[in-house]
Amino acid sequence: MADTIVAPSILSADFAAMGEAVKTLQRQHADWVHCDVMDGAFVPNITFGMPMVKALRRNTELPLDVHLMIERPERYAAEFIKSGADIVTFHPEASRDPHKLLAEIRELGAKCGVVLNPDVAVSEAEPFLDSCDVVMLMGVFPGFGGQKFIRDVLPKLEELRRLRGNRKFLIELDGGVTLDNAREIVLAGADVLVAGSCVFSSPDPEQTIASLQHIASDRA
Ligand code: DX5
Ligand code: ZN
């Protein structure tokens, strides 16, 4: 069984030293860099936009996994891709036409996906499953790092894996991942783990990333 893909979230990095943070993540063998874009409207916090993604792009070759927590993501998706985003995910309820946006992201050469908040049923993603490279389930309500994982999301991961059938999309879990719960999250169905505070507050981030990558490598 392949290792778990680990995407550290730079929301928990030092905002005054982002270039160094992504260079370090690359040296530490992270798989992707998770970039949390918040607009202060869709979520009650504001982070950064395209200029930051562009600057990160100059500092790492790791895939940039851009999570748009913004209203009407169709307004900016193309600019994020132009700035260097490799994967663009968004919350379908924020978009006027999620199908059109998924197609547009792919046409522009990036991978695309929808994100479901903890209180959104997996069935809401069903209409999009044929058009996604990634489907991401939130393990917390978006807006802030360091929150506690909502365990009700575990059966949703199992349901999504069942629904996937032969489709090829990756299942990503974002929010509340720790070394203590990562194994059950992966066993429930996650192929990709976003990990913010767990990596950045670790005394040994490289070891934490490696542990998350191998946390269920013994599974059948
Ligand atoms: C939450 C963000 C997450 C967050 C994860 O709004 O989308 O990506 O940074 O942080 P942790 O791993 O600390 O829960
Ligand atoms: Zn995120």
Side-chain angles (χ1 to χ4, degrees), residues 9 34-36 67 69 136 138 174 194:
S9 165
H34 186 81
C35 306
D36 285 309
H67 174 195
M69 285 160 276
M136 190 159 87
M138 294 304 301
D174 182 15
V194 176

Side-chain angles (χ1 to χ4, degrees), residues 11-216:
L11 185 60
S12 297
D14 177 0
F15 270 47
M18 280 301 195
E20 205 37 58
V22 291
K23 282 183 190 158
T24 303
L25 288 175
Q26 187 167 333
R27 277 200 302 274
Q28 292 167 340
H29 310 292
D31 296 291
W32 299 354
V33 174
H34 186 81
C35 306
D36 285 309
V37 175
M38 305 187 191
D39 67 352
F42 183 73
V43 286
N45 197 3
I46 301 177
T47 54
F48 51 76
M50 297 79 77
M52 175 65 85
V53 170
K54 203 168 180 180
L56 297 175
R57 182 73 294 159
R58 289 196 293 267
N59 283 274
T60 183
E61 282 118 52
L62 293 178
L64 297 178
D65 173 30
V66 175
H67 174 195
L68 298 180
M69 285 160 276
I70 65 176
E71 294 289 357
R72 301 200 39 222
E74 49 273 15
R75 292 176 299 163
Y76 292 107
E79 285 190 61
F80 276 102
I81 295 167
K82 217 187 291 161
S83 302
D86 298 283
I87 303 143
V88 177
T89 59
F90 63 91
H91 293 249
E93 67 273 33
S95 169
R96 290 211 179 142
D97 191 342
H99 277 114
K100 189 167 163 215
L101 181 52
L102 288 166
E104 184 191 343
I105 294 168
R106 274 189 176 167
E107 262 162 40
L108 293 169
K111 307 267 188 226
C112 64
V114 291
V115 189
L116 301 187
N117 276 348
D119 60 349
V120 176
V122 168
S123 56
E124 295 286 320
E126 248 185 302
F128 310 116
L129 295 184
D130 286 330
S131 318
C132 285
D133 301 299
V134 175
V135 176
M136 190 159 87
L137 298 187
M138 294 304 301
V140 301
F141 284 92
F144 302 92
Q147 302 181 73
K148 193 170 177 301
F149 179 68
I150 297 169
R151 294 185 57 82
D152 297 348
V153 177
L154 288 170
K156 287 174 62 183
L157 283 166
E158 289 170 1
E159 188 186 349
L160 182 57
R161 182 170 53 184
R162 267 197 309 277
L163 268 178
R164 175 164 60 182
N166 292 325
R167 298 182 187 94
K168 296 275 179 279
F169 64 79
L170 293 171
I171 299 176
E172 183 167 5
L173 187 286
D174 182 15
V177 171
T178 66
L179 284 173
D180 290 328
N181 64 20
R183 183 175 163 83
E184 56 182 338
I185 291 171
V186 171
L187 292 179
D191 307 299
V192 185
L193 294 176
V194 176
S197 47
C198 159
V199 165
F200 283 95
S201 65
S202 166
D204 187 348
E206 181 166 4
Q207 180 54 52
T208 299
I209 291 167
S211 300
L212 291 171
Q213 284 164 333
H214 302 132
I215 203 124

